[in-house]
Every structure is written in C-alpha cells, then in structure tokens.
Amino acid sequence: MKLTFPIAEPDAAALEKGRLLFSGETDFVKGVVAMDGMPPDDRIEICFAGRSNVGKSTLINALTGRKALARASNTPGRTQEINFFTCADSHYVVDLPGYGFAKAPKDTVAKWQRLLKAYLSGRATLRRAFVLIDSRHGVKAVDEEIMSLLDRSAVTFQVVMTKADKVKDAEREKNLAQTREAVSKHPAAYPELIVTSSEKGWGIDILRAVISTLE
C-alpha cells in the first residue's frame, strides 16, 4: 500500500540544482505592510507560513545559509510584515507573519490576516506556500486555519515539519501520522512532506531541491 503524503526524496539532479540556487547571494528586499508596497512580481516566488515559535525564521536562515537574514525571536509574533528576500536572480523567498499566539492587539492581528489573504490571492508568480508544522506537536487548529485559507486562495502548499531533532522517533512518527491525516483533507496540499531540523541541517537540501524545481 502506497504511503499517503510520503517524505519527499528529490533525485541527485534536483539536489544539485537546489544547492546551486542557494549558493549565491540572498538579500533582504523590503518588509511590506500593504499590497501597494509589494515588489514587482517578476520572478518565481515561494512563501513560508507558520504559527509563532514554529522555527520559521531559523529555517529560512538555514535554507539561505545566512544566520541573521530572517529575524528569529523568542517573542511570538515579532515578524509583523511580509518580508521579501531575493534568491539568486530568479526567486523571491517570502516570510509571512507568524499566526497564532501572537502577543498583539486584535485589530493588529485582523490587519495581518487581511494582508495575508490579499497577498495569497494577488501574487501571480507565487508558485507554492510552505506551511511549517512543529514535529513535536503536529497540526493544530491554527494550522488548519491557514491551510483552509490556502485552499480557498487556490495556492498549492506543502507541509514542512520543523524541529525534527527535538522529538523522539516514536513521537515524531505519531505526529507525522496525525499530520498526514490532517493534510489529506485539504485539496491545495501538495502530496509530499519535508522533514527538517534547522539545528542539525536535516532536510535543508531537500527543501532547496524542491524550491529549485518550481517553475
């Protein structure tokens, strides 16, 4: 029986393509708080979404090989803008505001949500969203909300499990099974998972390879 939502296994050519893509310069472009501030949609674009404290900034730093590119913080919700980074001359890597548990006023959270919805439905070059799920916890209600929003926006998303080194094998497999079950209910979900640890470097090459094959 074929496993539903298997772990992605790019071939050697894709791995090399991913290495080359992220071996060049990656630079911060701008932080955006409204749609009229978006940079031109003139290149392939991928975005990262995840609830606060899932390790999104740390993953972006590991992906790009730049330790302080994205701001990591112990304070949930610090990233309050849509942050754009260039990758080579061909891609934008986009860091979306963290959702859930953000210590912010309700009107600020509502503003983020409106901007997020507008962004997801308004970027013609957005090829895939990567939804980060903590390997220690699996899919939570706030994750379901963002995945449902991606369904409604018709944006293909792929789940990236983070912090895989922080949980024992049996617990990780249990949470993987729970994640597969949850994600299988979403029509916009891409049918492969990526398992990562930013600290150990697990799965970073796979994520790079997947991004490099999007056209």
Side-chain angles (χ1 to χ4, degrees), residues 62-77:
L63 179 70
T64 59
R66 296 277 300 278
K67 290 184 178 179
L69 187 70
R71 295 178 301 173
S73 173
N74 290 326
T75 304

Side-chain angles (χ1 to χ4, degrees), residues 104-137:
K106 286 186 178 180
D107 59 340
T108 301
V109 174
K111 182 180 178 182
W112 294 350
Q113 290 173 340
R114 287 195 299 272
L115 177 60
L116 181 59
K117 290 175 183 177
Y119 167 75
L120 292 174
S121 60
R123 294 294 283 184
T125 52
L126 179 60
R127 293 294 180 265
R128 187 168 300 175
F130 292 92
V131 176
L132 276 50
I133 302 295
D134 195 320
S135 294
R136 300 171 299 178
H137 307 302

Side-chain angles (χ1 to χ4, degrees), residues 39-51:
D41 51 356
D42 57 359
R43 59 180 68 201
I44 293 170
E45 196 164 310
I46 59 97
C47 67
F48 288 91
R51 63 183 181 81

Side-chain angles (χ1 to χ4, degrees), residues 9-20 205-206 208-209 212-213:
E9 294 184 0
D11 60 23
L15 290 169
E16 177 62 9
K17 189 175 181 180
R19 185 190 70 79
L20 290 172
D205 58 340
I206 293 173
R208 287 172 177 161
S212 74
T213 59

